[in-house]
Amino acid sequence: MRALLWSAAVVCGGWLVTVLGYTLVGAAATAAAVAPSDGTVTVRETVTTADVLSVLAVLLLVALAVWPGAAVAAIRARLGPRAAAAVGAAGPVLAVAMTLAVFVSNGGGAGVGAAHAAAALLGCAAGIAAGRTAKRG
């Protein structure tokens, strides 16, 4: 029962941290965006610095959410390395998948979605690698 409760807490916490981080990244991108003075909407085809920074932020955000999650799952839930990695990554991966589903369904570009998905996977790998260094109690 202890393992189940700690695992559920890790998944929920990872999801919440990632959703809050995504919200802050989106708010920062919106605040930094400059609207045209004539009120027209322009469609851009190029990748901007904000796009690159957004993808890097997702990578860092997911890594920082998975790392303590995998460590807590290993230490508190007393899970093995593979199970702890899966539990630590489940919440952030779910949050990124949900966010990308909303993004794509609202007409977001597939390239940006793919970049965010790849960043999330790399972030998971980095977080899992860092979380494996956790010492069991």
Side-chain angles (χ1 to χ4, degrees):
M1 186 66 148
R2 172 189 174 116
L4 178 67
L5 292 176
W6 274 109
S7 296
V10 166
V11 170
C12 291
W15 179 86
L16 183 63
V17 165
T18 307
V19 167
L20 290 175
Y22 246 126
T23 302
L24 293 175
V25 167
T30 302
V34 178
S37 59
D38 61 0
T40 61
V41 177
T42 57
V43 177
R44 60 184 173 86
E45 296 291 331
T46 60
V47 175
T48 65
T49 304
D51 292 333
V52 173
L53 291 177
S54 175
V55 169
L56 291 176
V58 169
L59 188 145
L60 183 63
L61 171 68
V62 171
L64 290 176
V66 172
W67 173 20
V72 167
I75 294 169
R76 291 293 194 178
R78 296 186 178 120
L79 297 177
R82 288 183 182 164
V87 167
V93 166
L94 181 62
V96 171
M98 290 171 52
T99 304
L100 290 179
V102 170
F103 175 74
V104 171
S105 71
N106 286 326
V112 174
H116 278 247
L121 291 176
L122 289 174
C124 279
I128 288 168
R132 285 187 183 213
T133 63
K135 303 292 183 215
R136 293 178 189 238

